[in-house]
Amino acid sequence: MADQNPRTKGMAIFGLSLLPLQILLYLNAWYFGLFLISEFLLYIYKWSILPYPSQNIIGEVILLFLLMVIEAARLFFGTKGNLTEKVVHLGVSIALLLPVLFGALFLLLWQTYVLRVEVIFCSILLVVFLLEAIFEVVTLVTFARAASQVT
């Protein structure tokens, strides 16, 4: 059935989803999984080698679990928002970026012992977060403009 809207008659309608954002979200899901595994292994190493206070390691492991849950939700909403072209889902993904960003900064700067390998892992994670934030804002603006032109 042909498009009956006179505003879009004869115009091709293309998807607005951003492929680089989708690639970053996909790669971040894999990298964050490897990041969590390495952090847990590094906590086992630090706990066995270094004089680590019990309450500190418990708090930092709980932070890792919270970081895992929030990042999974953020990746879900980012992927869903990009593929379905929904502004709300991308907005939630951007909002969830802030606690994950502060969690990564905590692991980089303020945990009890920071190893050099953790500095490298957290720095890569922060660069990926920055790139995702830029692409999510660009995609959000694109979706918002397209929605305002349709109405």
Side-chain angles (χ1 to χ4, degrees):
M1 183 172 215
D3 186 14
Q4 300 298 326
N5 189 351
R7 295 175 114 183
T8 59
K9 190 172 186 176
M11 294 174 53
I13 299 174
F14 297 102
L16 299 174
S17 296
L18 199 62
L19 180 63
L21 174 62
Q22 195 63 34
I23 292 171
L24 269 175
L25 290 169
Y26 178 78
L27 291 176
N28 187 21
W30 282 99
Y31 180 74
F32 195 77
L34 293 174
F35 174 79
L36 281 176
I37 291 170
S38 67
E39 280 294 320
F40 282 123
L41 291 175
L42 285 171
Y43 274 123
I44 293 170
Y45 169 76
K46 288 191 283 188
W47 184 65
S48 64
I49 300 295
L50 301 171
Y52 221 105
S54 299
Q55 65 273 14
N56 288 10
I57 198 162
I58 291 170
E60 291 175 7
V61 168
I62 289 172
L63 174 75
L64 271 180
F65 277 115
L66 288 173
L67 204 60
M68 177 181 63
V69 170
I70 295 171
E71 179 66 7
R74 188 187 75 79
L75 290 172
F76 171 76
F77 281 115
T79 302
K80 185 174 181 180
N82 188 34
L83 294 178
T84 60
E85 301 177 4
K86 301 286 185 182
V87 175
V88 175
H89 298 305
L90 275 177
V92 170
S93 178
I94 291 171
L96 288 176
L97 183 64
L98 291 175
V100 173
L101 183 68
F102 285 124
L105 283 174
F106 175 83
L107 292 174
L108 178 64
L109 301 174
W110 300 302
Q111 65 177 322
T112 307
Y113 295 107
V114 181
L115 301 178
R116 189 172 298 156
V117 70
E118 288 178 308
V119 171
I120 294 168
F121 288 160
C122 288
S123 299
I124 292 171
L125 191 64
L126 289 173
V127 168
V128 171
F129 286 161
L130 176 68
L131 288 173
E132 281 182 1
I134 291 170
F135 282 120
E136 282 183 343
V137 168
V138 168
T139 307
L140 188 73
V141 169
T142 305
F143 292 168
R145 281 188 184 166
S148 67
Q149 289 177 357
V150 170
T151 58

